[in-house]
Amino acid sequence: MIPPKPALPSAHTPSFAAFEARYAASIADPAAFWAAEAKALDWFRPADAVMRFDPLTADIVWFAGAKLNACYNCVDRHAASTPDRTALIWAANAPGEYEHITFAELLAHVSRFANLLRELGVKKGDRVCLYLPMIPDLAYAMLACARVGAVHSVVFAGFSAEALRDRILDAGAAVIVTANEGLRGDKTIALKAIVDKAVAGLDVVEHVLVARRTEADVPMHPGRDEWLGPALARQRPYCPVEWMDAEDPLFILYTSGSTGKPKGVLHTTGGYLLYVASTFRYVFDAQPSDVHFCTADIGWVTGHSYILYGPLANAVPSVIFESTPVYPDPSRLWRVVDDVGATILYTAPTALRALMRFGDGPVSRTSRASLRILGSVGEPINPEVWRWFHDICGNGRCSVVDTWWQTETGGILISALPGVTPLEPGAATRPLYGIRPLLMDADGNEVHGNGVSGNLCLAGTWPGQARTIFGDHARFALTYFSAYTGYYFTGDGARRDENGNYWITGRVDDVLNVSGHRIGTAEIESALIEHPAVVEAAVVGYPHDLKGTGIRAYVVTRPDMTCQTVELQAQVRAAIGPFAMPDQVVIVPGLPKTRSGKIMRRILRKIAEGEKHAFGDLATLADPGVVAEILELCEGL
Ligand code: WTA
């Protein structure tokens, strides 16, 4: 255990005792707690009731009847009080290239964008799909949607045309915003070409707006496509906001689950904004002097909550980082920290593992004197990486917060508070205010006490909780509220140690966490099965030094057709995106199945983990011989 670093005199949480007392109060009376927290936002109309929650119907309502606007809270009110304060710092792909955007400038950009959306006929409730690189236009577009009441659906720019098309169709988005090309490290990504492929023949898509990130000219479809620059230039920099109900949707974000079809997780305006604003304030102990640098992509929930909405709601300048931690060399992150004077660095274990391989040199060459808090998110951080982060990156001076949460939770649920919580390398530590984690055993009973493990569930509700899956509320109820009656099931396993600290042990469902990207094995399997030569496929994860989890696919092909493993990898790349590509493809004569035809993934997982003998009872297998054949084919992988 590492004692907490000294708290700042202006800290939001002065001591661990103060945290514990406040936590107890938040659990005893969550409505009172959140009503008090809500005062940090500007509301146009107060709520009639704080919350309503029915786990049986998965009905979650926060601040019924209240009205507010997320963009107003993130931009307008700060533009009025501190117009010259920096809101966003764009760290472009090229080292040393920065753009500082003040709140006054942000308001003008966002207002122009909002007027453009209105000109294109976008109305409250309409979905707008954003497929953009990490450029300020992405932030303007999201905030502009929030301003006019449109629902943004950001699709990570690493998704393929096919995956993008599915998401555009599912959301019914008539407007797409993209860029001619994206730049990331030494790579150029042909975003507009991908969009063209994705929307070909789709009637729903009426407008494609194209930001000019590079000099490259791209084909423009007359009547549908328009360059963003000139379209914005003709707009007024003033645009009134749409007052939204607290429960009006703010955004959809697609994420993976245990079925092949991605889920459009829907977050609403009031609860989400309050939750990310509040958790940003406590977990990063937000101070007026802070500069926040989150290295995530805005295409994932971490970027939504802790690059955009959380920091801006707190008027804390936030960095939009277009490049990668190793471009042009592995000192890049730390150089950005020094250049912008970042006080908070929020990153992922996968990035740290990649950097650790280069040793301490690239870190030590930089100052990092501005840093005071280091955050980790996205996957379990093993103690060795945690210590490197703490000792080397933070010079042993900075608080480390390992933050556990999910797309569906909207914001951080379990984390240490800096200067407050005693630190435990590898543990997410304590639930935040209003959060009640519980551990369940295989029979669905709660496991009480400390020093126990189980499946992680949450009791009650919190404002940032997702409200539904877009267009499929039954699936929402089934996925999250049916495994353990009355509780939200996270899909993660966890341990509560002797001191009451939580350690997240990883997914217990068919979701893989590959380099911090969440990918369903079923999604990869459906992509593989689309290949004409593939009869059957089973995908499992295995421990991978760099990615955390590697992807192995076992594939059965048609006897009359041959196919190369590279073709199958390409198939997944085209269906989902490069990040979902299996590291290993093994063509096997058959899959281990029970007599009733169920694939025994447990065995396939064990083989991928390097196990050779201990497969347990194989007597239930229809063809036990297949295990030896698969083992032989996997030899040397
Ligand atoms: C995993 C990302 C361990 C977990 C914010 C969760 C973590 C999934 C941590 C959600 C952490 C996230 N320690 N595991 N600090 N943070 N996870 O929806 O398995 O992309 O269920 O949200 O990432 O991934 P998602």
Side-chain angles (χ1 to χ4, degrees), residues 9 95 116 140 174 278 303 348 352 359 388 435 601 610:
L116 172 58
Y140 305 158
S278 166
L352 295 172
W388 189 73
I435 303 304
R601 280 158 202 285

Side-chain angles (χ1 to χ4, degrees), residues 255 300-302 346 349 376-381 402-409 414 426 428 490-492 503-507 511 513 516-518:
T255 191
W300 306 110
V301 75
T302 304
Y346 192 28
S376 171
V377 60
E379 36 173 339
I381 178 165
D402 174 14
T403 64
W404 174 83
W405 58 296
Q406 312 178 298
T407 303
E408 296 87 340
T409 70
I414 302 183
T490 64
D492 280 322
W503 301 68
I504 309 300
T505 48
R507 302 289 305 194
V511 173
N513 195 324
H517 297 324
R518 200 170 139 178

Side-chain angles (χ1 to χ4, degrees), residues 250-387:
L250 179 62
F251 67 86
I252 300 171
L253 186 57
Y254 287 88
T255 191
S256 297
S258 35
T259 67
K261 193 176 177 297
K263 301 175 279 202
V265 172
L266 185 133
H267 283 284
T268 57
T269 308
Y272 171 82
L273 189 68
L274 170 63
Y275 195 71
V276 297
S278 166
T279 50
F280 181 80
R281 186 160 61 250
Y282 295 123
V283 173
F284 301 108
D285 193 33
Q287 302 289 325
S289 53
D290 275 327
V291 174
H292 179 68
F293 178 17
C294 168
T295 67
D297 194 288
I298 292 186
W300 306 110
V301 75
T302 304
H304 282 58
S305 300
Y306 299 110
I307 294 179
L308 200 68
Y309 290 111
L312 291 186
N314 283 283
V316 168
S318 178
V319 176
I320 297 180
F321 179 50
E322 188 182 28
S323 197
T324 86
V326 293
Y327 180 79
D329 61 59
S331 286
R332 181 67 189 275
L333 272 195
W334 318 111
R335 244 187 254 123
V336 175
V337 166
D338 288 347
D339 289 350
V340 304
T343 56
I344 307 165
L345 176 73
Y346 192 28
T347 190
T350 189
L352 295 172
R353 285 194 300 267
L355 293 176
M356 248 178 108
R357 287 194 311 165
F358 297 95
D360 301 352
V363 187
S364 331
R365 270 196 280 285
T366 60
S367 152
R368 290 155 288 115
S370 54
L371 285 175
R372 63 183 190 94
I373 296 168
L374 302 173
S376 171
V377 60
E379 36 173 339
I381 178 165
N382 53 312
E384 192 197 351
V385 178
W386 194 103
R387 287 194 185 276

Side-chain angles (χ1 to χ4, degrees), residues 159-286:
F159 275 108
S160 68
E162 216 176 293
L164 174 61
R165 183 186 180 90
D166 290 345
R167 285 157 179 75
I168 292 170
L169 276 174
D170 187 82
V175 176
I176 320 284
V177 188
T178 188
N180 56 344
E181 294 183 322
L183 294 177
R184 199 153 182 271
D186 49 20
K187 289 203 185 76
T188 304
I189 305 134
L191 296 176
K192 174 64 164 59
I194 296 173
V195 170
D196 285 341
K197 214 168 142 196
V199 306
L202 289 191
D203 292 338
V204 294
V205 177
E206 291 164 16
H207 302 283
V208 176
L209 295 167
V210 187
R212 193 185 272 283
R213 174 62 187 99
T214 65
E215 293 307 311
D217 263 318
V218 289
M220 299 291 276
H221 192 291
R224 186 197 71 186
D225 302 350
E226 191 173 3
W227 289 103
L228 191 58
L232 288 173
R234 64 171 184 259
Q235 308 298 330
R236 280 184 75 191
Y238 172 82
C239 174
V241 300
E242 187 82 39
W243 292 110
M244 307 295 285
D245 191 278
E247 283 296 326
D248 277 332
L250 179 62
F251 67 86
I252 300 171
L253 186 57
Y254 287 88
T255 191
S256 297
S258 35
T259 67
K261 193 176 177 297
K263 301 175 279 202
V265 172
L266 185 133
H267 283 284
T268 57
T269 308
Y272 171 82
L273 189 68
L274 170 63
Y275 195 71
V276 297
S278 166
T279 50
F280 181 80
R281 186 160 61 250
Y282 295 123
V283 173
F284 301 108
D285 193 33

Side-chain angles (χ1 to χ4, degrees), residues 17 71 95 120 124 142 192 275-276 286 328 379 400 405 447 531 540 597:
C71 179
L120 298 179
K124 180 176 166 180
M142 291 165 80
K192 174 64 164 59
Y275 195 71
V276 297
E379 36 173 339
V400 172
W405 58 296
V447 200
H531 191 285
V540 300

Side-chain angles (χ1 to χ4, degrees), residues 29-38 50 62-63 274-275 278 433-434 462-463:
D29 191 351
F33 177 83
W34 290 113
E37 283 295 299
V50 177
W62 281 89
F63 307 105
L274 170 63
Y275 195 71
S278 166
Y433 302 127
W462 62 96

